[in-house]
Amino acid sequence: MTDNKIIKIGTFFSGIGAPEKALERLKRENYIDDYKVQFFSEIDKNAIKSYCAIHNVDESLNLGSITDIKGNNLPYCDLWVGGFPCQDISCAGKMRGFNFESSTRSSPGWEMIRLLREVKNKPKYVIFENVAMITSKKFKDTLNLFKEDLMSLGYTLYDDLLCATDYETPQN
Ligand SMILES: C[S@@+](CC[C@H](N)C(=O)[O-])C[C@H]1O[C@@H](n2cnc3c(N)ncnc32)[C@H](O)[C@@H]1O
């Protein structure tokens, strides 16, 4: 992906850093040479401590709430990943949605679109992850707006519905 083949990654809504763990595995299994965490963004203090312990990085790499991040301050990354909060999308919740104007717990996903507009050097790849319900009829219009914004930013889109049990995890 880059000349020295180190994949630079930045994640938002980072939790405990599952995408970073996936890169660690890809490195171990020789699919990639190496990766480097440029930053992460998380607000939950226990998740932050866990993230730093799991990935052996300093808390200073945490940029805090995505709402406070300014895109033009971000270092270049090859890859951004954001699994934005699903509480208002999932059928386990009230399904209030993730409209840009709504202030639901799931609406901060749009902050990544804002940052993609602001950042000087856009990441080559961006991965969004959420629950299957985001593809339902109820959220189709919002998801289409989200996709249109990404296309207007120059990205080619690929989407898929994956079942975690197919990847040896005990969650359907
Ligand atoms: C669905 S979890 C993502 C889990 C993550 N993909 C992982 O690998 O662990 C969503 C995360 O977003 C975080 N979050 C919620 N609002 C945020 C905000 N404004 N800025 C940054 N993180 C936020 C939550 O604390 C939570 O850990």
Side-chain angles (χ1 to χ4, degrees):
M1 288 174 84
T2 52
D3 288 346
N4 52 10
K5 298 192 180 158
I6 296 175
I7 297 175
K8 294 178 177 165
I9 180 174
T11 60
F12 301 92
F13 314 104
S14 308
I16 59 166
E20 292 84 340
K21 205 69 191 161
L23 286 179
E24 186 187 309
R25 179 170 167 185
L26 289 173
K27 180 182 171 185
R28 196 170 57 241
E29 295 179 3
N30 291 321
Y31 288 102
I32 62 170
D33 285 346
D34 208 350
Y35 68 96
K36 185 172 188 301
V37 175
Q38 297 288 82
F39 61 81
F40 68 101
S41 161
E42 178 50 61
I43 53 172
D44 182 282
K45 65 176 185 344
N46 294 320
I48 296 164
K49 284 214 178 319
S50 302
Y51 183 104
C52 291
I54 291 168
H55 302 288
N56 196 23
V57 295
D58 194 82
E59 282 200 22
S60 59
L61 281 188
N62 179 26
L63 301 180
S65 175
I66 190 168
T67 54
D68 297 331
I69 300 174
K70 303 275 176 273
N72 51 13
N73 294 335
L74 289 173
Y76 174 73
C77 291
D78 302 294
L79 171 66
W80 282 7
V81 187
F84 57 97
C86 64
Q87 292 98 323
D88 283 299
I89 299 168
S90 169
C91 57
K94 292 191 174 144
M95 297 173 75
R96 292 190 302 137
F98 67 110
N99 287 343
F100 179 69
E101 303 82 9
S102 71
S103 295
T104 70
R105 285 168 298 177
S106 297
S107 52
W110 291 94
E111 293 285 332
M112 279 180 71
I113 304 273
R114 171 183 65 80
L115 291 173
L116 284 171
R117 285 207 185 89
E118 289 177 8
V119 74
K120 281 187 220 118
N121 206 352
K122 288 190 200 9
K124 195 162 181 188
Y125 302 96
V126 185
I127 299 175
F128 293 92
E129 171 270 325
N130 216 285
V131 290
M133 193 53 75
I134 202 168
T135 63
S136 69
K137 201 172 161 203
K138 185 171 171 64
F139 300 127
K140 193 170 161 237
D141 290 346
T142 313
L143 187 60
N144 279 342
L145 289 173
F146 205 88
K147 288 179 173 180
E148 279 166 21
D149 274 2
L150 287 168
M151 284 189 286
S152 74
L153 283 159
Y155 287 99
T156 304
L157 305 188
Y158 304 90
D159 57 59
D160 211 342
L161 199 54
L162 307 173
C163 185
T165 52
D166 292 339
Y167 300 90
E168 300 172 10
T169 62
Q171 189 181 11
N172 204 8

Coordinates of all heavy atoms in Angstrom, one line a residue, residues 12-19 41-44 47 64-67 83-86 108 129, ligand 1:
F12 N -11.6 5.2 14.4 CA -12.5 6.0 15.1 C -13.5 5.1 15.8 O -13.7 4.0 15.3 CB -13.3 7.0 14.2 CG -12.4 7.9 13.4 CD1 -11.9 7.5 12.1 CD2 -11.9 9.1 13.9 CE1 -11.0 8.3 11.4 CE2 -11.1 9.9 13.2 CZ -10.6 9.5 12.0
F13 N -14.1 5.5 16.9 CA -15.0 4.6 17.7 C -14.2 3.3 18.0 O -14.7 2.2 17.7 CB -16.3 4.3 16.9 CG -16.9 5.6 16.3 CD1 -16.8 5.8 14.9 CD2 -17.5 6.5 17.1 CE1 -17.3 7.0 14.4 CE2 -18.1 7.6 16.5 CZ -18.0 7.9 15.2
S14 N -13.0 3.5 18.4 CA -12.0 2.4 18.4 C -12.2 1.3 19.3 O -11.7 0.2 19.1 CB -10.6 3.0 18.6 OG -10.3 4.1 17.8
G15 N -13.0 1.5 20.4 CA -13.3 0.4 21.3 C -12.0 -0.2 21.8 O -11.1 0.5 22.3
I16 N -11.8 -1.5 21.6 CA -10.6 -2.2 22.1 C -9.7 -2.5 20.8 O -8.7 -3.1 21.0 CB -10.9 -3.5 22.8 CG1 -11.7 -4.5 22.0 CG2 -11.6 -3.2 24.2 CD1 -11.7 -5.9 22.5
G17 N -10.1 -2.0 19.7 CA -9.2 -2.0 18.5 C -9.3 -3.4 17.8 O -8.2 -3.9 17.5
A18 N -10.4 -3.9 17.5 CA -10.5 -5.1 16.7 C -9.9 -5.0 15.3 O -9.2 -5.9 14.9 CB -12.0 -5.6 16.6
P19 N -10.0 -3.9 14.6 CA -9.4 -3.8 13.3 C -7.9 -3.9 13.4 O -7.2 -4.5 12.6 CB -9.8 -2.4 12.7 CG -11.0 -2.1 13.5 CD -10.9 -2.7 14.9
S41 N -9.5 6.9 18.2 CA -10.4 7.9 18.8 C -11.4 7.2 19.6 O -12.2 6.4 19.1 CB -11.0 8.7 17.7 OG -12.2 9.3 18.1
E42 N -11.4 7.4 20.9 CA -12.3 6.7 21.8 C -12.6 7.5 23.0 O -11.7 8.3 23.5 CB -11.7 5.3 22.2 CG -12.4 4.4 23.2 CD -13.9 4.2 22.8 OE1 -14.2 3.6 21.7 OE2 -14.8 4.6 23.6
I43 N -13.8 7.4 23.6 CA -14.1 8.3 24.8 C -14.3 7.5 26.1 O -14.4 8.0 27.1 CB -15.4 9.1 24.5 CG1 -16.6 8.2 24.1 CG2 -15.2 10.2 23.5 CD1 -17.9 8.9 24.0
D44 N -14.5 6.1 25.9 CA -14.7 5.3 27.1 C -13.4 5.0 27.8 O -12.5 4.4 27.2 CB -15.5 4.1 26.7 CG -15.8 3.2 27.9 OD1 -14.9 2.5 28.4 OD2 -17.0 3.2 28.3
A47 N -12.3 1.4 27.8 CA -11.9 0.9 26.5 C -10.5 1.5 26.1 O -9.7 0.8 25.6 CB -13.0 1.4 25.5
G64 N -9.4 11.3 21.4 CA -10.6 11.6 22.1 C -11.9 11.6 21.3 O -11.9 10.9 20.3
S65 N -12.9 12.4 21.6 CA -14.1 12.4 20.9 C -14.0 12.8 19.5 O -13.4 13.8 19.2 CB -15.2 13.3 21.6 OG -16.3 13.3 20.8
I66 N -14.6 12.0 18.6 CA -14.5 12.4 17.2 C -15.1 13.8 16.9 O -14.6 14.5 16.0 CB -15.2 11.3 16.3 CG1 -14.9 11.5 14.8 CG2 -16.7 11.3 16.5 CD1 -15.3 10.4 13.9
T67 N -16.0 14.2 17.7 CA -16.6 15.5 17.5 C -15.6 16.6 17.7 O -15.8 17.7 17.2 CB -17.8 15.7 18.4 OG1 -17.4 15.5 19.8 CG2 -19.0 14.7 18.1
G83 N -16.2 1.7 13.3 CA -17.5 0.9 13.6 C -18.3 1.8 14.5 O -18.2 1.7 15.7
F84 N -19.1 2.7 13.9 CA -19.8 3.7 14.7 C -20.9 3.1 15.5 O -21.4 2.0 15.2 CB -20.2 4.9 13.9 CG -21.1 4.6 12.7 CD1 -22.5 4.8 12.8 CD2 -20.6 4.3 11.5 CE1 -23.3 4.6 11.8 CE2 -21.4 4.1 10.4 CZ -22.8 4.2 10.5
P85 N -21.3 3.7 16.6 CA -22.2 3.1 17.6 C -23.5 2.7 16.9 O -24.1 3.4 16.0 CB -22.5 4.3 18.6 CG -21.3 5.1 18.5 CD -20.8 5.1 17.1
C86 N -24.0 1.5 17.3 CA -25.1 0.9 16.6 C -26.4 0.9 17.4 O -27.4 0.4 16.9 CB -24.8 -0.6 16.2 SG -24.5 -1.6 17.7
P108 N -23.1 10.0 15.2 CA -21.7 10.4 15.0 C -20.9 9.7 13.8 O -19.8 10.2 13.5 CB -21.0 10.0 16.3 CG -22.1 10.0 17.3 CD -23.3 9.5 16.5
E129 N -18.1 -0.1 9.6 CA -18.7 -1.4 10.1 C -19.9 -1.1 11.0 O -19.9 -0.2 11.7 CB -17.6 -2.2 10.8 CG -18.1 -3.5 11.5 CD -18.5 -3.2 12.9 OE1 -17.9 -2.4 13.6 OE2 -19.5 -3.8 13.4
Ligands
LIG1 C1 -19.5 -0.4 18.4 S1 -18.2 0.2 19.4 C2 -16.9 0.0 18.4 C3 -16.0 -1.2 18.8 C4 -14.7 -1.3 18.0 N1 -14.9 -1.5 16.6 C5 -13.8 -2.3 18.6 O1 -13.1 -2.9 17.8 O2 -13.8 -2.6 19.8 C6 -18.5 2.0 19.4 C7 -17.5 2.7 20.2 O3 -17.6 4.1 19.9 C8 -17.2 4.8 21.1 N2 -17.7 6.2 20.9 C9 -19.0 6.7 21.1 N3 -19.1 8.0 20.9 C10 -17.8 8.4 20.5 C11 -17.2 9.6 20.2 N4 -17.9 10.8 20.1 N5 -15.9 9.6 19.8 C12 -15.1 8.5 19.9 N6 -15.6 7.3 20.2 C13 -16.9 7.2 20.5 C14 -17.9 4.0 22.2 O4 -17.3 4.3 23.5 C15 -17.6 2.6 21.7 O5 -16.4 2.0 22.3

